[in-house]
Amino acid sequence: MAEQHDAVEDRKPQSDEARSAFAPPEGVEQPQVAEEESPTSEFALPAGLAAPVVEAPADQPASAFATPSTYSARDTPNALITTAGLPLVRLSKDAPWQDRMRTMLRMPVGDRPVAEPVQKHDDTGPAVPRVLDLTLRIGELLLSGGEGAEDVEAAMFAICRSYGLDRCEPTVTFTMLAITHQPSLVDDPVTANRTVRRRGTDYTRLAAVHRLVTDMTSEEHEVSLEEAYRRLAEIRRNRHPYPGWVLTTACGLLAGAASVLLGGGVAVFLVAAVGAVLGDRLAWLCASRGLPEFYQFVVAAMPPAAMGVALSLQSSWDLSPSAVITGGLFALIPGRALVAAVQDGLTGFYVTASARLLEVGYFFVAIVVGVLTVLYGGLQIHAELNPEGTFKPIDRPVVQILASFVLCLTFAVLLQQDRSTVLIVAANGAVAWVVYAAIAVTAKGSPIMATAVAAGLVGLFGQLLSRYWNTSALLYVTAAIGPLLPGSATYFGVLSIAQNHMDTGIASLAKAAALALAIAIGVNLGNEIARLFLRAPGAGRAAAKRTRGF
């Protein structure tokens, strides 16, 4: 019985563990495997060659990581380390901190020089969380005030290095600030961020923040963390330099000066000023009720357009409704945001540039909606609104220059600039208008080219003045581009659309967009030309590498 049981067990199929499914059954001849199909290693020794026998020392066990027997440290070739082709960057302390920090931000992290603390602290080192928090608070004020993303990063980087924090990487987007500090390669990084929710226009506060950063990065001033927090709190608590009634009056004078710049007289000046004041008060009312800025722009654009329609209904009055409407638009066109958007795009901050351009687009659409709504109503009551010539600067050159001066002066007041800078920026804007009129009117050149050249001079002079006074360039640039804003092309585009002339309207709006881009690119180009005369070693070469696309 035992023998029968063993025979039955031998006839049972074997399991998968004991037998392969691809193995040939019993009784079938095993196939021959070709030599080229047999698995082998390319590191195997050829047939007939004996492998060398290497005997390991008796006191050392054999290891796969042991040094080969044929290796000798004496016979190893010397490693050749060369610095040929690497840019040698020397950062002069005489250069402005903006250019020094911009140079280091455009350098690779490994090529940056070690931070030399400017501000003193105790032996335990700086309080890293407090330094990062102070950096984010200052960066928030700069970004909300309209500074470009690269300038905000340069300021944040300068603050960290002035307190001895090396290996810091600031990141700036349209609504978010972040900074990371890693003490060493083996320590955990410390990251902090801050959200920018509100934006305000106060260039006096912006200039005060720049003075604070300058003192923090200078060896001549000792600014501790407590002192920096105290000065920052004072900057936040300071009231605006101009009360509300001054801002409203400045808005009216700006619109009146713009209407005179476009060919209007004294009556047109007064009517445009009244329309702009009404629009400003309505916008303030909407802001106090918590309405978004889009609807504030819609409401602010309606009263100037309504005043123009009312003038067109009075056929006995020899006035220019187009000059009234266009003058009211000058205070609404977001030139500051457009310049900052193009600057961010040209310096490589594409996310922030896209967000700023989207914001400019929304404001532009709001202006178009407000004016278009009133014009549609005016056409229903048979208002005579025709695309007539709006300005003749060559006929009244002195009046036009004075009007551009007043326009820039009132624009600087609306931006809450310090009283010591409003006359300088107004003179810069008047010079820009003279250059524009000389090219576009006297020489009969392209208006777009004339706008770009005039804006380039504004950026050049603004950058040089900002470095001379050691402050932000926005103080001398933003208000100076006021006479160059494309208010006339915007109005005629909207009027043509209201009259159902779509092709003409779209072409005029495209011209307005081209003029706006010419202003922004010209200002940025003027800034870069100004930096060529400043001591900023290595900045140009690093910037060229950054935008090469690889």
Side-chain angles (χ1 to χ4, degrees):
M1 297 295 292
E3 294 178 355
Q4 294 179 356
H5 182 269
D6 293 339
V8 172
E9 290 294 334
D10 292 340
R11 289 194 298 269
K12 288 182 178 181
Q14 297 179 353
S15 62
D16 292 339
E17 297 180 358
R19 178 176 178 273
S20 173
F22 298 98
E26 297 180 359
V28 178
E29 183 179 358
Q30 184 75 16
Q32 298 292 331
V33 181
E35 183 178 355
E36 59 272 8
E37 297 180 0
S38 60
T40 182
S41 173
E42 61 183 33
F43 300 101
L45 293 175
L49 181 62
V53 179
V54 180
E55 296 181 359
D59 56 347
Q60 180 180 358
S63 172
F65 300 98
T67 305
S69 59
T70 58
Y71 177 82
S72 176
R74 299 177 181 177
D75 301 332
T76 56
N78 294 327
L80 180 60
I81 302 177
T82 179
T83 59
L86 296 179
L88 181 60
V89 178
R90 296 185 179 92
L91 300 177
S92 174
K93 294 184 179 180
D94 296 334
W97 64 265
Q98 296 95 329
D99 293 322
R100 289 189 284 113
M101 296 303 110
R102 186 180 291 107
T103 300
M104 282 189 284
L105 283 174
R106 292 175 177 179
M107 293 169 55
V109 179
D111 296 342
R112 295 174 183 171
V114 180
E116 298 179 1
V118 176
Q119 303 300 328
K120 299 179 181 179
H121 47 73
D122 52 14
D123 296 336
T124 59
V128 175
R130 296 197 67 193
V131 173
L132 298 184
D133 178 72
L134 177 66
T135 303
L136 290 175
R137 291 177 182 272
I138 293 178
E140 178 189 9
L141 285 179
L142 293 175
L143 186 63
S144 61
E147 282 285 4
E150 188 177 32
D151 295 329
V152 177
E153 281 196 359
M156 296 172 64
F157 195 67
I159 296 170
C160 291
R161 291 183 67 89
S162 64
Y163 286 101
L165 296 188
D166 199 7
R167 298 178 181 273
C168 287
E169 284 297 327
T171 303
V172 176
T173 59
F174 187 60
T175 57
M176 177 71 70
L177 298 172
I179 188 168
T180 301
H181 168 64
Q182 188 173 12
S184 65
L185 296 176
V186 296
D187 294 330
D188 295 332
V190 180
T191 303
N193 56 60
R194 193 174 183 87
T195 303
V196 181
R197 301 187 183 277
R198 298 187 61 183
R199 301 180 184 276
T201 304
D202 191 342
Y203 279 9
T204 302
R205 179 179 298 174
L206 188 65
V209 175
H210 266 266
R211 286 194 296 268
L212 175 58
V213 177
T214 301
D215 293 342
M216 294 168 67
T217 56
S218 175
E219 296 179 352
E220 300 176 357
H221 300 82
E222 183 177 350
V223 183
S224 62
L225 284 176
E226 290 74 16
E227 176 69 15
Y229 269 107
R230 184 189 65 79
R231 291 180 58 177
L232 186 62
E234 290 180 355
I235 293 173
R236 286 182 174 274
R237 287 196 300 265
N238 282 346
R239 299 177 61 88
H240 298 305
Y242 306 104
W245 67 270
V246 173
L247 298 179
T248 302
T249 304
C251 185
L253 292 177
L254 188 153
S259 64
V260 173
L261 193 68
L262 300 174
V266 177
V268 172
F269 177 91
L270 296 176
V271 174
V274 172
V277 168
L278 292 177
D280 180 74
R281 288 293 89 192
L282 288 177
W284 275 100
L285 180 62
C286 294
S288 63
R289 296 296 185 268
L291 288 179
E293 284 186 295
F294 179 86
Y295 302 105
Q296 297 177 28
F297 273 76
V298 172
V299 172
M302 287 184 173
M307 299 296 289
V309 171
L311 284 181
S312 66
L313 294 176
Q314 302 293 331
S315 58
S316 60
W317 294 1
D318 188 14
L319 298 178
S320 175
S322 301
V324 173
I325 299 175
T326 306
L329 298 182
F330 268 77
L332 300 177
I333 297 177
R336 173 179 58 90
L338 179 64
V339 171
V342 175
Q343 179 181 355
D344 289 342
L346 295 177
T347 52
F349 295 85
Y350 301 113
V351 175
T352 307
S354 301
R356 289 186 189 271
L357 285 176
L358 184 62
E359 181 187 39
V360 171
Y362 272 112
F363 291 160
F364 190 79
V365 170
I367 296 172
V368 171
V369 169
V371 176
L372 196 59
T373 302
V374 176
L375 292 184
Y376 269 129
L379 292 177
Q380 298 301 320
I381 57 177
H382 306 289
E384 296 181 0
L385 294 171
N386 298 318
E388 63 212 35
T390 56
F391 64 96
K392 299 177 181 179
I394 194 173
D395 295 337
R396 303 181 301 173
V398 177
V399 175
Q400 305 295 332
I401 294 174
L402 292 177
S404 63
F405 184 88
V406 174
L407 191 154
C408 296
L409 183 68
T410 53
F411 206 162
V413 172
L414 288 176
L415 294 174
Q416 301 282 359
Q417 290 191 201
D418 189 75
R419 294 177 176 86
S420 60
T421 62
V422 292
L423 293 179
I424 300 176
V425 70
N428 193 12
V431 172
W433 172 256
V434 171
V435 173
Y436 171 81
I439 297 176
V441 180
T442 305
K444 300 188 183 301
S446 171
I448 297 178
M449 183 188 69
T451 301
V453 172
L457 290 178
V458 169
L460 174 64
F461 294 151
Q463 192 67 232
L464 294 177
L465 289 171
S466 69
R467 298 309 166 87
Y468 180 78
W469 297 104
N470 204 3
T471 184
S472 173
L474 292 180
L475 277 67
Y476 305 100
V477 169
T478 305
I481 63 175
L484 306 176
L485 294 176
S488 179
T490 303
Y491 163 69
F492 285 126
V494 176
L495 177 59
S496 298
I497 293 176
Q499 294 176 343
N500 204 21
H501 300 156
M502 301 301 297
D503 295 340
T504 306
I506 293 176
S508 183
L509 292 179
K511 179 182 177 181
L515 291 172
L517 290 178
I519 294 173
I521 295 175
V523 169
N524 184 266
L525 183 59
N527 291 337
E528 296 300 329
I529 293 176
R531 293 191 181 105
L532 295 178
F533 300 98
L534 302 174
R535 300 181 63 182
R541 185 171 186 178
K545 286 184 178 180
R546 176 172 182 166
T547 57
R548 205 169 284 172
F550 54 83

